Amino acid sequence: MGPYGFGAVPGGSTSLAASKQQSEIDGQLAGAGYRVRLSELPRVAQRLERLENVIGNAPSGVSQLASDAVVHSNPSDLASWVDSLLYELSPLAPGSESCSTTSQPLPPPPLYSDPYYSGCSSSLNQTAIDRETWTDQIVTQQQSQLPLTAVADVEEDSGIRLVHMLMTCAEAVQRGQLALAGSLIGEMKALLLTRVNADCGIGKVAGYFIDALSRRLYEPHQGGAYFTGVGFEHEILYHHFYEGCPYLKFAHFTANQAILEAFEGYDCVHVIDFSLMHGLQWPPLIQALALRPGGPPLLRLTGVGPPSPDGRDSLREVGLKLADLARSVNVRFDFRGIAAIRLEDVKPWMLQVNPKDAVAVNSIMQLHRLLYPSADGGSCLDSILKWIHNLNPKIVTVIEQDANHNSPKFLDRFTEALYYYSTMFDSLEACQLQPEKALAEMYIQREICNIMCCEGSARVERHEPLSKWRARLGRAGFKPLHLGSNAFKQASMLLTLFSAEGYCVEETEGCLTLGWHSRPLIAASAWQAEPHTITASNPNVV
């Protein structure tokens, strides 16, 4: 394959002769100092024609700008040179459209040597073969439903080139070659403006990753403080992500079914929710407990959430609404809110667990936020799991992204995240609720920015695959509980509410995953503390 993932086309002697002639002309062009192939000249001609129209329709003074661009840019790289001029001049032309991004506009891309035109470095060659196959998968899944027209073919080719440039830019960031990374960002923004549709498919995904790379280069301190995923605004986006796609609904329904089964036969039950988030998860559980044969139990709910920015006690407000619902269905209910910005700030004595209660600990996409290294070389998660274990819960429900975004190497994180979120955005195209869809994308964009922009304790989106969670929870003294057929049926029924056929629920060794086509995206598992490791004296219960 060539550098843009194109394969060779078999043919007879005529094709070989034509190929030889093309190679000779390509060599003559290269000898004359032009980094362009014969096959690219028709496209370059189209871009030149568009450039002529832009300059002709632009206001006065643009001619001098074009003249300056000719002097300071490199005309030997014809395709990139024309795209750069279009990138600069298009916003100045009357009626022209520009692509908006959340980051500050970059200056014109400076001169650099594109490794995919002038030959890859040895380290790039090392990963080129795997990257081409992987790139084809991303672009194919994003472009598979486009009509087979010439325009779609050109856009798909440009999409493949865009993915390659993203990978090259990420590698430059990892090496500390910030000037090269900045140049590539400018080139990619020009490509989004001129050749790739940034409103859907790979263009939309690439736009978010280009924005994240820009923030890492130009706003490293602001990005870390802004995209940590806590606070009231994050809760609002979380709510729209809940409404816009089935992932959080799957998490809530699956966890609730497992908790309901674990509470069977107990008169006093206590749920500890590590992320209350407006209490969206708990009305169905309250209603299910109300219908339990023999009557409902006493339900205690402890919810952890961030303090309100305006001084209101928002946790108490959520508790009052849930209490009203419980009263209406004759369920005895007790609520306790714990305001904490970080989960590691919660101490077990705050939970006020009664040793006679059946306890459930519920974590919806929260434990991965504790995987950053601690001072003793471990992770904050280790201490949290220890005191959870000492509570002797009947069940611990863990819902996490089934992804590998916790590598210490930036390029590995970038590669995994690009593949994962390409699939996630592809699934969001099935969302029929446009306002929720737009805000759900903002929620995902914050995850991407945290993975790409932040390091150390500020990088909280440290998603890991289900296999690693199995191993980690097993080492911490928990044994897996099989999510039964009822949980599978609940999840499958949930998907009937969404018209898209691409969502799928799979059962894997007692765990459930929700994915898009063949790619699992969210994993649900349930656990119980091993009884032989529980200490006789438990300081975490009252």
Side-chain angles (χ1 to χ4, degrees):
M1 272 194 172
Y4 297 108
F6 304 142
V9 180
S13 59
T14 303
S15 299
L16 291 173
S19 177
K20 182 178 180 181
Q21 183 181 10
Q22 179 174 334
S23 299
E24 291 177 354
I25 295 176
D26 288 344
Q28 293 172 3
L29 288 168
Y34 289 98
R35 292 200 298 271
V36 67
R37 300 183 182 93
L38 176 63
S39 60
E40 295 175 335
L41 288 178
R43 295 183 191 174
V44 174
Q46 292 176 356
R47 314 313 294 170
L48 286 170
E49 183 178 356
R50 180 176 174 182
L51 177 63
E52 182 180 0
N53 292 334
V54 170
I55 293 176
N57 295 328
S60 61
V62 171
S63 298
Q64 181 61 40
L65 175 60
S67 217
D68 292 342
V70 170
V71 172
H72 295 293
S73 299
N74 183 11
S76 66
D77 188 352
L78 287 176
S80 298
W81 176 66
V82 174
D83 283 345
S84 297
L85 286 176
L86 282 169
Y87 173 61
E88 291 192 35
L89 298 179
S90 291
L92 299 176
S96 64
E97 297 181 356
S98 62
C99 223
S100 62
T101 63
T102 56
S103 62
Q104 296 297 322
L106 291 173
L111 174 62
Y112 78 104
S113 178
D114 187 342
Y116 288 100
Y117 281 119
S118 57
C120 295
S121 64
S122 58
S123 62
L124 291 178
N125 283 329
Q126 199 171 7
T127 58
I129 296 176
D130 293 338
R131 182 186 300 174
E132 286 166 7
T133 304
W134 176 84
T135 301
D136 290 342
Q137 293 175 351
I138 290 183
V139 177
T140 299
Q141 80 176 13
Q142 297 287 349
Q143 303 284 357
S144 59
Q145 297 182 356
L146 287 173
L148 297 178
T149 63
V151 174
D153 290 341
V154 170
E155 184 171 339
E156 184 170 347
D157 292 348
S158 299
I160 293 172
R161 182 188 174 202
L162 185 60
V163 173
H164 276 297
M165 293 177 73
L166 277 168
M167 297 299 300
T168 307
C169 185
E171 187 162 5
V173 170
Q174 178 168 288
R175 290 177 168 186
Q177 298 172 332
L178 303 186
L180 174 59
S183 299
L184 284 163
I185 288 172
E187 291 276 339
M188 289 187 289
K189 287 190 173 184
L191 198 61
L192 278 177
L193 281 172
T194 57
R195 294 190 183 182
V196 180
N197 184 358
D199 294 329
C200 63
I202 190 60
K204 174 178 285 188
V205 178
Y208 286 124
F209 276 82
I210 293 169
D211 177 67
L213 288 168
S214 298
R215 291 178 184 274
R216 184 181 178 95
L217 260 63
Y218 304 126
E219 305 172 17
H221 302 295
Q222 296 179 17
Y226 189 66
F227 295 109
T228 51
V230 295
F232 183 72
E233 185 177 349
H234 176 74
E235 288 195 6
I236 298 298
L237 295 177
Y238 180 98
H239 178 78
H240 288 283
F241 184 66
Y242 174 89
E243 294 293 341
C245 53
Y247 298 110
L248 288 176
K249 292 185 178 70
F250 163 80
H252 292 175
F253 276 61
T254 304
N256 281 353
Q257 182 62 40
I259 292 171
L260 184 65
E261 294 175 5
F263 282 167
E264 186 175 354
Y266 291 93
D267 293 329
C268 297
V269 297
H270 187 170
V271 176
I272 300 167
D273 185 6
F274 281 167
S275 183
L276 188 61
M277 292 295 185
H278 300 290
L280 295 172
Q281 180 174 349
W282 305 118
L285 180 66
I286 293 173
Q287 293 170 334
L289 289 173
L291 299 175
R292 197 176 75 168
L298 166 64
L299 171 61
R300 305 183 198 274
L301 175 61
T302 299
V304 179
S308 298
D310 56 2
R312 293 184 301 109
D313 192 347
S314 57
L315 292 174
R316 183 174 181 273
E317 292 175 2
V318 171
L320 289 174
K321 292 179 181 178
L322 292 174
D324 288 341
L325 172 63
R327 189 181 304 108
S328 69
V329 293
N330 297 318
V331 173
R332 293 171 296 160
F333 181 78
D334 182 32
F335 176 81
R336 180 176 179 82
I338 299 177
I341 296 177
R342 304 182 307 167
L343 186 56
E344 52 266 46
D345 294 333
V346 177
K347 306 305 176 184
W349 60 265
M350 301 177 181
L351 306 174
Q352 297 187 3
V353 175
N354 189 317
K356 297 181 181 180
D357 292 349
V359 177
V361 177
N362 181 70
S363 174
I364 306 295
M365 302 177 189
Q366 293 299 309
L367 294 186
H368 68 262
R369 304 170 69 85
L370 303 170
L371 288 174
Y372 63 87
S374 61
D376 59 1
S379 70
C380 290
L381 179 61
D382 296 334
S383 60
I384 299 287
L385 290 179
K386 184 176 181 180
W387 65 251
I388 291 175
H389 188 280
N390 289 338
L391 294 176
N392 192 20
K394 296 300 177 184
I395 189 171
V396 179
T397 49
V398 177
I399 318 293
E400 287 290 338
Q401 293 89 339
D402 194 2
N404 189 15
H405 301 153
N406 195 27
S407 171
K409 294 183 178 180
F410 176 78
L411 182 59
D412 292 342
R413 287 206 313 270
F414 185 93
T415 303
E416 290 289 338
L418 184 57
Y419 186 25
Y420 179 87
Y421 287 107
S422 294
T423 308
M424 179 70 77
F425 276 106
D426 194 25
S427 72
L428 280 180
E429 292 300 322
C431 176
Q432 303 298 320
L433 305 173
Q434 291 304 316
E436 280 74 13
K437 175 183 175 182
L439 291 170
E441 290 175 353
M442 289 179 63
Y443 177 86
I444 298 174
Q445 181 192 19
R446 289 194 165 202
E447 285 189 359
I448 294 172
C449 282
N450 188 267
I451 295 169
M452 297 295 102
C453 299
C454 303
E455 298 294 346
S457 60
R459 179 161 64 86
V460 295
E461 300 297 345
R462 295 173 175 264
H463 313 141
E464 290 193 345
L466 177 59
S467 58
K468 287 191 175 183
W469 285 109
R470 278 203 190 100
R472 180 177 287 108
L473 288 163
R475 290 194 303 269
F478 294 90
K479 64 178 182 180
L481 295 177
H482 193 283
L483 291 173
S485 58
N486 287 334
F488 184 88
K489 291 176 183 177
Q490 287 273 4
S492 300
M493 289 177 59
L494 168 67
L495 296 186
T496 62
L497 302 176
F498 292 80
S499 59
E501 298 179 354
Y503 294 109
C504 58
V505 177
E506 300 288 344
E507 191 274 335
T508 306
E509 298 182 24
C511 305
L512 295 183
T513 63
L514 174 61
W516 180 250
H517 295 293
S518 60
R519 174 65 161 94
L521 297 173
I522 303 294
S525 59
W527 304 84
Q528 188 177 50
E530 292 276 16
H532 66 275
T533 57
I534 301 298
T535 58
S537 177
N538 188 348
N540 299 321
V541 296
V542 294

